[in-house]
Amino acid sequence: MAQVVRRPTASGEFRYDVRTRIAGRVVTKTFRRRKDAEAYANSVEAEKLRGMAVDPRLARVELAKWASSWMAQRVDLRPKTRQLYGYLLNSFVLPRLGTTPLAQLTPSVVRAWHAQLATERPRIAPKAYQVLRSCLSTAVTDGLLAVNPCRVKGAGRTHSPERPVASMAEAGALAANIDEHLRVMVLLAYWCSLRIGELRGLRRRDIDLLHGWIEVREQVVEVAGTLSTGPTKTAAGRRRIAIPPHVRADVERHLSEWVDSSVDAYVFTGARGAAPLPAASWQRAWNAA
């Protein structure tokens, strides 16, 4: 239980120390009046019963330091996601909030930060808010904060307009005007709804012309010029897709003319013909088409 201890000061006045144990550590807070000390002692005991009591010393850490630790511990992040989180934190969260101790990140502070960012960068604000909320949720889990101060209603929702979809004629024109070794890439993107990372990750073993399907197993992502191959973004992303009959001949021709005979060979490659197609090479060809 929290204890209230009266002690004299050098000036002859008295102070009232409230001592309690939180998460195995003795925490002391000092008050000038006994009734304030007793009120705090009662409130901290109530918080302990609700499992919301935190050691105030832990919450003195600045957000920038905590965010760095949080990112280092997020071993579950894909390279592209890690790059995005780092960009959002370093460009939009930490410049304003980085030197603020966690204990001082109140809902009003977060609300003011979000309001300004939403005015300046409305499309970025929801994503930056989501990263900050996730970062501080871990602080709550680790006992640095009692509650997450990110409580701005609707702040994490994105409102993107519906993207236009190319017509069959437009897709055909793009396929006809892009570099020949990338023609099938456009056809598969359109008719099989494959993402760019999934197309770059396709290998010869993933295509079964006999049964007419593609097995989507992995994707290629590129961060700071470094290519990496890994599983699809979600478990649902691993799927089998039928190749439309009118596209099969194009796929068969592409495999025979442009792809190495090895089962592990990538279907779409760069100039050297072995590594997955670099994003820059694809973008140049796509823009030209």
Side-chain angles (χ1 to χ4, degrees):
M1 298 293 290
Q3 294 180 330
V4 178
V5 180
R6 190 178 82 157
R7 62 176 173 83
T9 65
S11 62
E13 298 179 340
F14 289 97
R15 292 292 182 267
Y16 299 89
D17 295 335
V18 179
R19 297 173 184 169
T20 187
R21 185 175 292 275
I22 300 175
R25 298 178 63 180
V26 176
V27 177
T28 302
K29 190 169 184 178
T30 302
F31 297 86
R32 299 176 69 91
R33 302 188 303 175
R34 176 181 284 276
K35 69 176 185 178
D36 294 335
E38 292 175 343
Y40 172 75
N42 292 333
S43 66
V44 78
E45 286 303 318
E47 289 176 352
K48 287 164 68 175
L49 289 173
R50 296 197 304 269
M52 297 179 62
V54 298
D55 186 344
R57 289 174 292 186
L58 298 178
R60 292 174 188 166
V61 61
E62 294 181 352
L63 175 61
K65 185 175 181 179
W66 170 251
S68 176
S69 173
W70 177 71
M71 285 289 290
Q73 295 172 12
R74 289 298 304 268
V75 296
D76 58 313
L77 297 179
R78 300 285 181 86
K80 205 76 172 180
T81 304
R82 180 175 295 279
Q83 183 187 43
L84 174 62
Y85 280 18
Y87 166 69
L88 293 171
L89 284 169
N90 295 324
S91 301
F92 304 105
V93 178
L94 300 182
R96 280 203 60 191
L97 302 177
T99 58
T100 306
L102 295 184
Q104 296 179 22
L105 286 173
T106 61
S108 62
V109 170
V110 173
R111 193 180 305 112
W113 161 78
H114 176 264
Q116 180 175 345
L117 184 59
T119 301
E120 298 171 351
R121 303 291 297 271
R123 293 192 177 183
I124 289 290
K127 297 178 181 179
Y129 179 85
Q130 290 170 3
V131 173
L132 177 61
R133 182 175 58 191
S134 179
C135 178
L136 296 181
S137 290
T138 304
V140 174
T141 301
D142 288 1
L144 280 72
L145 291 174
V147 294
N148 193 328
C150 292
R151 285 179 269 172
V152 183
K153 187 175 181 180
R157 296 186 197 142
T158 56
H159 305 280
S160 301
E162 185 174 350
R163 294 183 179 182
V165 178
S167 66
M168 287 187 286
E170 290 169 332
L174 284 165
N177 284 278
I178 204 165
D179 296 348
E180 180 61 27
H181 70 290
L182 299 177
R183 181 172 178 273
V184 169
M185 196 170 179
V186 175
L187 296 178
L188 292 181
Y190 187 79
W191 292 104
C192 297
S193 298
L194 291 177
R195 300 180 180 90
I196 183 66
E198 295 169 343
L199 286 163
R200 294 166 68 199
L202 276 183
R203 300 176 190 260
R204 178 181 280 274
R205 64 171 183 248
D206 300 325
I207 299 179
D208 186 338
L209 290 173
L210 178 63
H211 298 93
W213 50 255
I214 294 174
E215 188 80 34
V216 181
R217 312 171 194 261
E218 54 191 12
Q219 64 176 348
V220 169
V221 296
E222 187 169 341
V223 178
T226 301
L227 295 174
S228 64
T229 303
T232 55
K233 189 172 183 179
T234 63
R238 181 169 181 141
R239 61 204 187 278
R240 180 175 292 182
I241 300 174
I243 304 174
H246 67 282
V247 177
R248 290 187 192 178
D250 294 288
V251 175
E252 184 174 11
R253 190 181 312 111
H254 177 86
L255 291 175
S256 64
E257 294 180 3
W258 300 98
V259 185
D260 186 81
S261 59
S262 169
V263 294
D264 290 329
Y266 286 100
V267 176
F268 303 106
T269 62
R272 296 182 180 180
L277 179 69
S281 298
W282 161 255
Q283 198 63 55
R284 282 193 298 269
W286 173 256
N287 290 344

